Amino acid sequence: MRTKMVAGNWKMNKTLQEGVELAAQLKNDVKNPKCAVVIGTPFIHLATVAELVKGSPIKVAAENCADKDKGAYTGEVSAAMVASTGAEYCILGHSERRAYYHEDYEILKNKVELALANGLKVIFCIGEVKEERLENKQNEVVKAQLEGSVFHLTAEQWANITLAYEPVWAIGTGLTATPEQAQEIHAFIRGLVAEKYGKQAADDTTILYGGSCNEKNAAELFACPDIDGGLIGGASLVPEKFEAIIAAR
Ligand code: PEP
């Protein structure tokens, strides 16, 4: 059976002190979740937050890592450095990284490989922009994103991949894919995984929905058979909301 999961993505929010306060509250409140719980934090929070939540059900993710192993890349943070903080996951392929930092298929392929090689699990984000949805191109877009950056992985590596389908038009906009829209494309994505890695691997692959998922719409989305949980941006910054989403899973 595949893992059900609710993962937060704090993005570029919270000072170190504010982040520690938020993580401490989550640790205090989230004692027996029915699903895996991951919080994605900025790099500077990772070591402190990973230490803070140690022994609790909460795991920590980086929101990015470098596409190079190590060396003269000023300002970059390698996958090995992320792993050394105690973080267990790395979010890669987020639409904001693709759009604002020009992360193309090849760059993301390198990042995924380095993250996995350093023992991190990857939450890999895919999804179409509004124009592509209006032209009904969402299926070909997610297929190309998977083929471009992760479908070269071995079956063994694939076991450490969680997918997050995030329609870009729904991220931070208050617009959410309807459960029907989300279920339809999640099933399509699972079908692609089945074609590539076989039915068992596809059944075991966790596919999260992300895009204005909140405490009000989470239960309806999570009730869909191919939606295994959520990647949560804005609502993950508010403990009551994030905890309600975890409870909905
Ligand atoms: C995200 O950034 O991954 C996301 C889903 O954001 P939000 O929940 O704010 O739409």
Side-chain angles (χ1 to χ4, degrees), residues 149-163:
S149 305
V150 289
F151 269 2
H152 67 290
L153 297 173
T154 64
E156 200 183 329
Q157 288 175 309
W158 186 261
N160 289 311
I161 300 285
T162 293
L163 296 176

Side-chain angles (χ1 to χ4, degrees), residues 222-240:
F222 297 168
C224 299
D226 287 292
I227 300 180
D228 303 314
L231 179 55
I232 317 298
S236 73
L237 297 168
V238 184
E240 298 72 28

Side-chain angles (χ1 to χ4, degrees), residues 7-9 11 91 94-96 125 164-168 170-175 209-214 230-236:
N9 174 16
K11 312 195 186 193
I91 299 170
H94 193 280
S95 63
E96 288 152 16
C125 307
Y165 167 67
E166 302 204 297
V168 182
I171 296 179
T173 59
L175 296 172
Y209 169 80
S212 298
C213 182
N214 59 38
L231 179 55
I232 317 298
S236 73

